[in-house]
Amino acid sequence: MGASDAPIVEKAGAPARRRGRTRVGDAVFKGMTRIVAFGLVMLLVLMIGVLAADGVRPFREFGWRFLIGRNWNPVAGRQSFGALPFIYGTVVTSTIAIVLAVPVAVGLALLLNEVARGWLANIVAVLVDLLAAIPSVVFGLWGVFVLQPAMDRTIEPFLANTVGKVPLVGPLFRANVSGGFQGGDVFTAGVILAVMIVPIVTAVGREVVSTVPRDLREAALALGSTRFEMVRMAVLPYSRSGIVGASMLGLGRALGETIAVAMVVGNSLGIHVSLFNGGYTIPAVIANEFREASSEGLHKASLLALALILIAIALMFAALSRLLVRRSAALVSGGPAPPATELARLEGAA
Amino acid sequence: MERDGSMTDSVVMRASDLENWSTGAPDGARVRNAPAGDIEVVDLNAWFGNHRALRDVNLSINGRAVTAIIGPSGCGKSTLVRCLNRMHEEVRGARVEGKVLFDGRDIYAPDVDPVEIRRRIGMVFQRPNPFPTMSVLDNAVAGLKLVGGLSRSELRERGEWALRAAGLWEEVKDRLHEPGARLSGGQQQRLCIARALAVEPEVLLMDEPASALDPASTLRIEELVQELKERYTVVIVTHNMQQAARVSDWTLFMLYGEVVEFGPTSKLFTRPDDQRTEDYVTGRFG
């Protein structure tokens, strides 16, 4: 207990205090993140719970036939509800959108990141981003007044005369049940959706493509690859999982898009092979009918059940994409360390 | 321990590889006897944006010999070697002026396709960069696939030949279909050398090929360089002066983007003409 001890105690005290403060900060931080995370999960559970509370009624009423029923009749007394036309319409329009949008978006991402440089790339990039800023109801209007007439008069007859004659895929591109091409149809809706999701898939795709290590690009170039071969050899294989992820993001938006689709899809219950027939999607029917559905009736419960099914479809696609991503990520694991050191070293010469 | 054992094995193996090299090479591989691979650098200047990385470099690189480029960090040695196969221009904002004559022809002439140049002048980078999504064998023949026109069996044969030439065959012959990224760092680097050799370049540029590797792997790479010079012009950038002294016939010392001294390695390390060279090789700076 000599006087010489005092400074030592003081020295030891300062860091201890600091450590104590960090612990409090950690605890607060931990608590806050827990609350937020828990709250978010609760929100999801609550939402699904509320949907399910009423949404199970049609399943109780019709059993599994609710899922495969093709009839949807809300008229009192003759009520009958089947979800299949909506499931079909939702899946088909979204699939068309993905099939059309992903190649375009990947091409755009590669163009902007690998080929075009300077002002041209900037202009295109800005235009693509602007596309994302257009409200969907405007897309719908454009669809009704511009795209749909063009489809009916020119594009669909042309497709029917060309692709329609190819075996296997041909039947998808034939005249509709009334023998012509008039009216809203799932193909037009798919095209609109494709235009709508191109910006997001392109933006994410560009991010993905830009993470390809410089090492790999140079490896390909040093072997004597052209720019295109370099993309095929180094860029695309490396970014495959990311591109799948980007596509799934686009798909998510396509599945949930409501108003633009409702304006051009035809809103009819048929399920036909040809894509030039009208259809109906889950978001569209919910938006169109929620007002008419009485609060206690089976109609409302059926709409809620459709919402549940929509969530299930989205989750299924998400799970599928996880699976795809994991598979291609397994190939890349153990790959080279992050990029940029080569560039840093080169520029270190500066 | 284990590594030591496998090393002696493969050194023996590689001596026989060398004998097989001219005879055992698959039919598609042309036998090289034309004197090739002389490189003449004339008034070469290179920039990154506004920064001038090379200043009036003049240099004659002899074919079928190993030329080492040494110098402190940032002296432009990597830039110089990347100018020799037109990789420098792939960096955004980079620019080159001057001539590089390869077998008498300027590779910067307007009618020359850089893709063609890079097929004839191969490159190995500082960090092993096998394609992560490709198997060992696919990595080895990646360049050949670009050229095209080879059947699967021919590709496999040429791949085996390249892997043998890079001294890797014995270690990977049972793992040809595993991902290339699963090999050790040293093996990955030899895989990259195999990949560069498979297209049968005339020159092999190596940009600090061993700086990311452990000593045992470094030794293997150095041995390999010694073997390669029988058939290729090798230009190797290195941070390590002992390495330059061990592997090279000619050494180039650079400082601030300029050539300070170029001469036979033995002379440059023992009786340099320039005081700065002497200071550098004796470790007074750098």
Side-chain angles (χ1 to χ4, degrees), chain A residues 73-96:
Chain A
N73 192 350
V75 177
R78 280 178 293 174
Q79 275 191 337
S80 157
F81 297 102
L84 194 63
F86 309 107
I87 297 173
Y88 167 84
T90 305
V91 170
V92 168
T93 49
S94 299
T95 306
I96 295 171

Side-chain angles (χ1 to χ4, degrees), chain B:
Chain B
M1 300 288 209
E2 210 176 62
R3 192 178 279 277
D4 286 345
S6 70
M7 248 172 68
T8 30
D9 281 357
S10 47
V11 168
V12 174
M13 180 277 303
R14 253 183 296 143
S16 60
D17 277 352
L18 264 183
E19 281 171 5
N20 292 340
W21 213 339
S22 49
T23 53
D27 295 339
R30 67 200 129 89
V31 177
R32 205 184 287 290
N33 35 29
D38 287 356
I39 298 175
E40 183 100 20
V41 178
V42 184
D43 294 331
L44 190 72
N45 287 283
W47 287 264
F48 291 103
N50 290 324
H51 170 72
R52 193 170 169 192
L54 292 181
R55 296 169 182 273
D56 301 318
V57 172
N58 284 282
L59 184 68
S60 271
I61 296 172
N62 295 312
R64 302 229 201 153
V66 179
T67 302
I69 305 179
I70 59 170
S73 293
C75 72
K77 49 193 194 302
S78 280
T79 307
L80 174 58
V81 84
R82 290 167 62 88
C83 283
L84 300 182
N85 67 342
R86 299 194 58 171
M87 284 299 288
H88 176 67
E89 65 207 50
E90 292 297 333
V91 178
R92 206 171 277 215
R95 190 159 58 86
V96 182
E97 267 173 26
K99 285 182 181 171
V100 175
L101 303 174
F102 178 44
D103 286 340
R105 199 155 164 249
D106 182 14
I107 66 171
Y108 284 98
D111 60 329
V112 170
D113 181 4
V115 168
E116 182 59 32
I117 291 301
R118 291 178 200 138
R119 278 187 188 160
R120 294 175 61 194
I121 305 180
M123 189 163 201
V124 176
F125 296 85
Q126 177 177 18
R127 244 165 359 130
N129 54 359
F131 297 116
T133 51
M134 291 187 197
S135 70
V136 171
L137 185 64
D138 283 341
N139 259 291
V141 299
L144 289 172
K145 278 190 182 160
L146 289 177
V147 183
L150 291 174
S151 70
R152 274 176 76 96
S153 62
E154 282 171 319
L155 275 177
R156 190 187 137 119
E157 229 173 279
R158 292 277 290 269
E160 177 178 340
W161 174 80
L163 288 168
R164 278 187 196 282
L168 189 60
W169 176 253
E170 288 301 318
E171 291 160 57
V172 300
K173 64 182 176 188
D174 301 319
R175 317 171 55 182
L176 291 176
H177 300 289
E178 278 181 33
R182 217 176 278 169
L183 301 178
S184 75
Q187 288 173 330
Q188 286 188 24
Q189 190 63 305
R190 276 178 286 143
L191 180 57
C192 293
I193 294 175
R195 181 175 68 189
L197 294 178
V199 290
E200 293 191 87
E202 291 148 63
V203 179
L204 194 61
L205 307 174
M206 304 176 106
D207 188 359
E208 302 195 31
S211 67
L213 305 180
D214 61 273
S217 305
T218 302
L219 186 65
R220 302 220 48 186
I221 301 282
E222 288 180 12
E223 288 167 348
L224 189 55
V225 169
Q226 287 302 308
E227 292 159 15
L228 293 176
K229 75 171 179 185
E230 311 273 329
R231 299 198 160 260
Y232 302 90
T233 304
V234 179
V235 180
I236 180 169
V237 170
T238 176
H239 235 82
N240 177 331
M241 279 178 286
Q242 285 73 35
Q243 185 172 69
R246 281 194 299 262
V247 301
S248 68
D249 306 302
W250 299 81
T251 298
L252 170 72
F253 172 57
M254 292 182 71
L255 207 53
Y256 305 121
E258 289 176 35
V259 172
V260 174
E261 190 165 351
F262 179 49
T265 300
S266 53
K267 178 173 180 297
L268 197 123
F269 277 97
T270 52
R271 290 170 282 113
D273 292 331
D274 196 291
Q275 183 61 40
R276 291 171 292 173
T277 314
E278 185 168 344
D279 289 349
Y280 185 72
V281 298
T282 52
R284 238 164 274 170
F285 73 95

Side-chain angles (χ1 to χ4, degrees), chain A residues 102-125:
Chain A
V102 167
V104 173
V106 171
L108 263 172
L110 291 174
L111 173 82
L112 295 175
N113 277 31
E114 306 292 329
V115 186
R117 283 179 178 179
W119 62 272
L120 181 69
N122 287 337
I123 289 179
V124 175

